[in-house]
């Protein structure tokens, strides 16, 4: 070759090497960006920003504080998982009837090894929710097509899932466990391996225990069992496993939770009957609808795509899939009505239905991609950017909230650990959580007469958060005051 090209051979070889390297890199990058695992990891890394933040962000800090409160009491008071307890039950034990505290208990287990800190629940939820996202992709890929699954999963990760999968709350955690269970359901129906059935039962049970509204998504299995390509014996095993999972969750919510409420006299949740739920929702019907057209995907473009996808879905898919959509939707709406005013007033109650809306939106983007791939990519990017941009506040703590993080050290200086407090945190458990004391959380401008009546039950100190706007003057002995808090010693009765 050197005789043929002479001295020009070296530049030619170098050029060929550069071209080959470029082509290999281009192929590698193309494979990478078309692999959903890359994007799940990418979204995981993005959501690691601010992962060590305490629950001080404006959105849903009260629910995160409550989750941590239960976990911390497992560590410091009683590690029995069947007896979750909070700090704001006054003179009572604080044991409450609530959802099964699996996330709280995982925080406790990590804390028992590493020592307690505020943010473990964020990372645990993010890990489990990322696994649930991959399960969602696998399910959609199996039932539809890989490109539908890819588009739907990107939209899913950009939805309300983006922010809540890093919050210290069991909502995406629960749905993730259920999605993993559904994937093992499909595997068992196809392959009949016993360990698939075992994991179907375990993950489905835990998902339902953590949040019973996950039952709406599980209802799709009723339609999968109608598919004639799966044997009757395997269907019977799946039905039995799911029936046991539902039975266990019903025992928790309809036997154990009422028992805890009756025995320890503290109720945290107030479910409604259907008539009462409808009466509460009707005046808030606009906000009820908003949870579907915006809160779910945090994207108006995404919602528009989901409507187009709904039309295309019913036009093209089989009767079984249509029945599946109708069943899931009906069960979810039933749960939404049962919550009453809570659903339209809290955006995260839409989370169990987000996989369905994401699927429909992905279905529409896939339809566009068949004729105009570049337009589909642009549409997907627009939905993702809009969804993430509408949730950017989740990554930082406002300066106006940071003063609360010093409340525990302040309490340690002036209030013995075994003394009960009154704090003007309103209905939110956030302030009493950061005070790391047990007692009562009361209205922002609590009167002295109310404080006197509560102190007869054992309250020893009063903490006033001045940012709450309280202008009440108290006659108690003041032991501390600054621009943020005042601490008073209450009289002994």
């Amino acid at each position: 070759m050197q005789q043929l090209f002479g001295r020009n051979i070296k530049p030619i070889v170098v050029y060929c090497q550069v071209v080959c390297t470029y082509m290999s890199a281009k192929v590698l990058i193309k494979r990478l960006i078309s692999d959903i695992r890359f994007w799940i990891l990418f979204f995981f890394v993005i959501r690691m920003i601010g992962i060590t933040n305490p629950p001080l962000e404006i959105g849903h800090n009260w629910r995160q504080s409550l989750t941590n409160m239960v976990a911390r009491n497992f560590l410091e008071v009683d590690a029995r998982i069947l007896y979750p307890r909070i700090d704001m039950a006054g003179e009572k034990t604080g044991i409450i009837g609530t959802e099964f505290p699996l996330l709280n208990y995982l925080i406790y287990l990590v804390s028992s090894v590493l020592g307690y800190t505020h943010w473990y629940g964020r990372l645990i939820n993010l890990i489990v929710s990322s696994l649930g996202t991959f399960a969602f992709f696998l399910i959609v890929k199996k039932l539809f097509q890989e490109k539908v699954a890819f588009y739907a999963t990107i939209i899913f990760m950009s939805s309300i899932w983006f922010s809540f999968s890093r919050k210290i709350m069991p909502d995406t955690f629960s749905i993730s466990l259920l999605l993993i269970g559904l994937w093992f359901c499909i595997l068992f129906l196809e392959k009949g391996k016993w360990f698939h059935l075992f994991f179907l039962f375990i993950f489905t049970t835990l998902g339902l225990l953590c949040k019973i509204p996950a039952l709406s998504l599980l209802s799709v299995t009723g339609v999968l069992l109608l598919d004639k390509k799966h044997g009757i014996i395997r269907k019977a095993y799946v039905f039995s496993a799911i029936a046991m999972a539902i039975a266990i969750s019903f025992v928790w919510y309809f036997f154990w939770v009422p028992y805890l409420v009756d025995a320890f006299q503290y109720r945290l949740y107030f479910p409604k009957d259907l008539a009462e739920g409808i009466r509460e929702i009707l005046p808030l019907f606009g906000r009820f609808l908003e949870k579907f057209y915006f809160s779910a995907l945090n994207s108006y473009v995404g919602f528009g795509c989901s409507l187009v996808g709904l039309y295309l879905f019913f036009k093209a898919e089989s009767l079984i899939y249509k029945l599946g959509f109708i069943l899931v939707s009906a069960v979810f709406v039933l749960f939404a009505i049962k919550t009453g005013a809570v659903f339209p007033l809290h955006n995260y109650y839409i989370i169990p239905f987000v996989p369905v809306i994401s699927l429909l939106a992905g279905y529409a983007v896939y339809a566009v991609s068949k004729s105009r791939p570049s337009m589909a990519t642009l549409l997907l990017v627009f939905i993702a950017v809009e969804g993430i941009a509408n949730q950017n506040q989740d990554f930082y703590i406002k300066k106006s909230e940071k003063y609360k993080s010093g409340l525990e050290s302040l309490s340690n200086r002036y209030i013995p650990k075994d003394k009960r407090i009154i704090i003007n945190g309103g209905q939110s458990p956030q302030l009493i959580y950061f005070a790391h004391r047990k007692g009562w959380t009361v209205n922002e401008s609590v009167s002295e007469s109310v404080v006197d009546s509560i102190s007869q039950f054992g309250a020893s100190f009063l903490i006033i958060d001045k940012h709450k706007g309280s202008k009440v003057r108290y006659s108690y002995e003041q032991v501390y005051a600054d621009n943020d808090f005042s601490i008073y010693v209450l009289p002994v009765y």
Side-chain angles (χ1 to χ4, degrees):
M1 184 177 292
Q2 189 167 0
Q3 292 177 348
L4 181 63
F5 291 101
R7 295 180 180 179
N8 295 326
I9 184 63
K10 190 172 182 179
I12 294 174
V13 170
V14 171
Y15 174 77
C16 290
Q17 289 175 338
V18 170
V19 170
C20 290
T21 302
Y22 170 76
M23 294 301 294
S24 298
K26 189 175 180 180
V27 170
L28 179 62
I29 292 172
K30 187 176 180 179
R31 288 180 179 176
L32 195 63
I33 62 176
S34 63
D35 190 331
I36 197 61
R37 292 170 295 185
F38 166 78
W39 290 107
I40 292 175
L41 180 61
F42 177 78
F43 274 76
F44 182 95
V45 171
I46 290 178
R47 286 172 291 178
M48 284 293 288
I49 299 172
I51 198 71
T52 59
N53 286 341
L56 287 171
E57 65 263 43
I58 299 298
H60 306 96
N61 56 66
W62 69 273
R63 189 62 179 84
Q64 298 182 84
S65 298
L66 192 73
T67 303
N68 271 353
M69 187 182 290
V70 172
R72 191 171 62 189
N73 279 322
F74 280 137
L75 182 68
E76 298 178 348
V77 181
D78 185 351
R80 293 179 297 171
I81 195 171
L82 298 181
Y83 295 90
R85 70 177 72 218
I86 56 175
D87 295 336
M88 56 184 188
E91 78 282 5
K92 298 182 177 68
T93 63
I95 295 174
I96 58 169
T98 183
E99 62 262 353
F100 186 72
L102 177 61
L103 176 58
N104 319 68
Y105 211 77
L106 291 175
I107 297 171
Y108 150 69
L109 291 175
V110 174
S111 300
S112 64
V113 176
L114 302 178
Y116 181 80
T117 193
H118 299 293
W119 57 270
Y120 292 150
R122 292 190 189 276
L123 184 57
I124 293 169
N125 188 22
L126 181 55
I127 292 170
V128 174
S129 295
S130 297
L131 294 173
T133 299
F134 188 53
F136 172 73
F137 169 80
L138 294 174
I139 292 168
V140 178
K141 177 183 175 182
K142 178 64 66 174
L143 298 180
F144 298 93
Q145 296 188 39
E146 184 170 357
K147 284 190 175 181
V148 175
F150 182 86
Y151 295 137
T153 304
I154 297 294
I155 295 170
F156 184 50
M157 289 190 291
S158 308
S159 71
I160 192 174
W161 194 268
F162 179 78
S163 59
F164 277 85
S165 60
R166 64 190 299 277
K167 289 184 183 290
I168 314 165
M169 298 170 62
D171 300 87
T172 61
F173 181 82
S174 164
I175 298 302
S176 295
L177 293 173
L178 189 70
L179 287 169
I180 295 170
L182 288 175
W183 173 239
F184 280 113
C185 174
I186 292 173
L187 289 178
F188 178 76
L189 287 173
E190 286 192 347
K191 301 180 180 181
K193 294 187 180 298
W194 289 107
F195 74 91
H196 291 153
L197 184 66
F198 173 76
F199 286 124
L200 154 65
F201 171 71
I202 293 297
F203 285 107
T204 300
T205 301
L206 293 176
L208 292 177
L209 282 171
C210 289
K211 293 287 287 191
I212 199 170
L215 184 62
S216 61
L217 199 56
L218 180 64
S219 60
V220 73
T221 57
V223 176
L224 289 177
L225 294 177
L226 296 177
D227 196 331
K228 294 181 180 179
K229 68 181 180 182
H230 302 306
I232 188 67
I233 300 300
R234 292 182 186 179
K235 291 180 183 179
Y237 281 126
V238 168
F239 177 82
S240 299
I242 292 175
M244 285 191 293
I246 294 174
I248 291 171
S249 66
F250 275 38
V251 167
W252 176 267
Y253 284 99
F254 300 109
F255 172 74
W256 189 249
V257 167
Y259 162 74
L260 293 179
V261 172
D262 291 341
F264 301 101
Q265 296 299 303
Y266 193 91
R267 180 180 291 275
L268 191 62
Y269 303 109
F270 298 88
K272 313 293 192 306
D273 60 41
L274 290 178
E276 186 181 5
I278 291 173
R279 284 196 299 270
E280 289 189 5
I281 287 173
L282 283 178
L284 301 166
F285 193 63
R287 299 183 71 172
F288 179 88
L289 293 178
E290 185 272 343
K291 300 302 172 285
F292 293 89
Y293 70 73
F294 181 73
S295 291
L297 301 184
N298 277 275
S299 168
Y300 292 111
V301 176
F303 176 70
C305 287
S306 71
L307 291 181
V308 174
L310 179 62
Y311 168 76
L312 296 174
F313 180 89
F314 271 84
K315 183 180 178 181
E317 292 300 332
S318 66
L319 178 61
I320 288 180
Y321 282 12
K322 294 174 186 176
L323 288 175
F325 173 82
I326 293 171
L327 183 58
V328 171
S329 302
V331 175
F332 177 75
V333 170
L334 182 66
F335 272 107
I337 293 173
K338 289 282 288 180
T339 65
V342 172
F343 182 89
L345 294 176
H346 295 82
N347 62 349
Y348 59 90
Y349 277 82
I350 192 66
I351 286 175
F353 200 62
V354 170
V356 177
I357 299 177
S358 300
L359 168 61
L360 295 176
Y363 202 92
V365 175
Y366 169 68
V368 173
S369 73
K370 289 190 290 186
S371 57
R372 304 186 67 180
S374 58
M375 180 62 71
T377 301
L378 184 63
L379 190 60
L380 186 66
V381 170
F382 199 95
I383 294 171
V385 170
E386 185 186 8
I388 294 171
N390 283 319
Q391 301 175 77
N392 71 87
Q393 71 279 359
D394 188 66
F395 289 93
Y396 60 89
I397 305 297
K398 287 188 174 182
K399 290 182 179 180
S400 61
E401 300 298 306
K402 291 183 178 180
Y403 74 97
K404 298 174 184 177
S405 61
L407 184 54
E408 182 175 356
S409 61
L410 184 62
S411 298
N412 290 339
R413 286 164 56 190
Y414 295 97
I415 304 174
K417 198 67 180 289
D418 60 341
K419 297 298 181 181
R420 295 186 183 268
I421 66 169
I422 301 172
I423 192 165
N424 66 331
Q427 294 181 337
S428 171
Q430 186 191 40
L431 281 180
I432 200 167
Y433 165 72
F434 278 101
H436 200 168
R437 297 295 185 275
K438 301 187 184 304
W440 295 259
T441 178
V442 296
N443 291 334
E444 284 82 352
S445 296
V446 59
S447 66
E448 190 163 308
S449 61
V450 171
V451 173
D452 287 340
S453 64
I454 295 176
S455 62
Q456 296 180 42
F457 293 95
S460 301
F461 291 84
L462 170 66
I463 301 179
I464 296 296
D465 180 354
K466 295 180 179 180
H467 295 260
K468 299 294 183 180
S470 177
K471 297 181 180 180
V472 179
R473 293 182 178 273
Y474 301 100
S475 61
Y476 314 119
E477 177 189 356
Q478 187 178 79
V479 294
Y480 179 81
D482 62 14
N483 293 330
D484 301 317
F485 297 102
S486 293
I487 300 178
Y488 301 89
V489 179
L490 298 178
V492 178
Y493 288 91

